[in-house]
Amino acid sequence: MVEAAVERTTGAENVIWDLSVFYNGADDPAMQRDMEQLDTQVDEFAAAYRGRVAQLDAEEMVDAIKALETIYDRSGRIGAFASLLYSTDTANPQYGALIQKVTEYGAMINQKLLFFELEWNEAGDETAQKLLNDPTLADYRHYLEAERRYKPYQLSEIEEQLLVEKSVTGRSAWVRFFTQLTSAIRADYDGQQITLTQALTKLHEADRETRRKANAAITTALRGKAMELTYIFNVLAADKAADDKRREYPGWISSRNLANKAPDAVVEALIQAVTSNYEIVARHYRLKRVLLGLDELTEYDRYAPLPIPEGDTFYTWDEAREIVLKAFDAFSPRFAEIAARFFDESWIHAPVLPNKRGGAFCHPAVPSAHPYVFLNYEGKPHDVMTLAHELGHGIHGYLAAEAQGIFGMYTPLTTAEMASTFGEMLVFNDLMAKEPDAEARLAMLAQKIEDSFATIFRQVSMNRFEDGFHTARRSEGELTTERFNDIWLTTQRAMFGDSVNLSGDYGIWWSYVPHFLSTPGYVYAYAFGELLVLALFNLYRERGASFVPLFVDVLAAGDSNWPEQILAKVGVDLTDLNFWNEGLNTLRALVEQEEQLARQVYPEKF
Ligand SMILES: [Zn+2]
């Protein structure tokens, strides 16, 4: 079955994106020209406004922001091009050199423009409020207002500049070293030297012995680098503690919450709601143990496929396209219309290629271009949902760029998944409704549940790990590998309860997760986003067609207001603590549905 899947072609092999909206290749001389022009533009901007920002009147402020929009759009085009190109062939040294050059260039531009936001925050509250109330500035009101939330934590311009400059050889350098180190790790699988990604993939195999060996190989490989990995985690935790202290943030998560525009109390309520519903996880894994016919589930059984012939369902690229566009069209013709452009105008890169990055993403790019979708399409039902997911991001970015421009199009992490997960749900329900076979429906449901768990419960348990090690590093000093292991095992065991037996060997498995280092505090945003969508989906079911235009408006609002105010338009109250439990109830209902379906399909196992 595995061999057959490899031989099958999906029709996605030639679905390659067209990046010519930016440049005609890594060596296009237009890029160098643009960089030089942009340099001049930035210097002119600084000459015109430096030292004056806090005194600008409303009209001057509009002019300044419009100039900034042009600058960010132009530099965003260069950045998007370099990173999109690199993602399709990470082994290409020309692409690698380009992305490094563009990263350094971007840091230089940001450094030169830093003064604008810093000086704006230096304006007195009264002056600032007067400007914010001026109707001339209505389009940029939220951008300016939101910027001031950093005011209490801001340092002097020279300090801010130093932090940006030193981060290239500090934080960023350590994160890059971590990426190189973990990419170079080889796990010894039956004498074969395989990458971590390849070894992790084996945890999804049906054969238990394969999973057990892959699991042991990963543990051994990570232990072999424990000294380096522990050191990197310690350095970056201490680096963050130093930054937070200097800026006087009250806790390790405060800066992330501020960036997410999520009040601390809302985040605490989310964590509280999820951790007190870990029982939902245990229920699913107890059922999984029965279905797998095992006495006990261990860490290497977590991703075992259910013994259900789900692996056979296969969708060609054209079928996937039709399924997604139809499901979107039934929800909102506007959704389908935008999504169709991704296919028709080559905004998607779909095939699996040797040195291509793994996974999938949508790059929003800038208003003068359009979003791009990146996939590794293999024709599995899961791939169809991923396509819907990334196109959802694409629609969100498209609508927000059109309505808000560059300062209002990039939503914070917490609401960034609204359209993507929603689009995925539309397609999921469609595929479920179409599937006549109860066994296949059970397989799909189980997969959906595990996907939601990965997004909600696993991320919150990882947030508990982050909370544990940042707090410990701040109070106990440098942490040993064993201390990290302890925190990891405690937080992971709490989630699985008695349903999965996590052995001590699993202790070192925190050490390869890049999010902890590259974006501290990031992980809870996934849970936030998914639970939000589960609740929104309930609203759609209750209200039907009247919900649709409101939701489209919410998406088009992008980052033009505080999330809680944007969401109030569809009747969601993020500050209501019960709201989070509603999302979890939807998930519990899915697990109950799964239990019933399992008893119906396999009465002999119960
Ligand atoms: Zn996403």
Side-chain angles (χ1 to χ4, degrees), residues 389-390 393 417 420:
H389 181 102
E390 301 308 336
H393 278 303
E417 299 294 337
S420 56

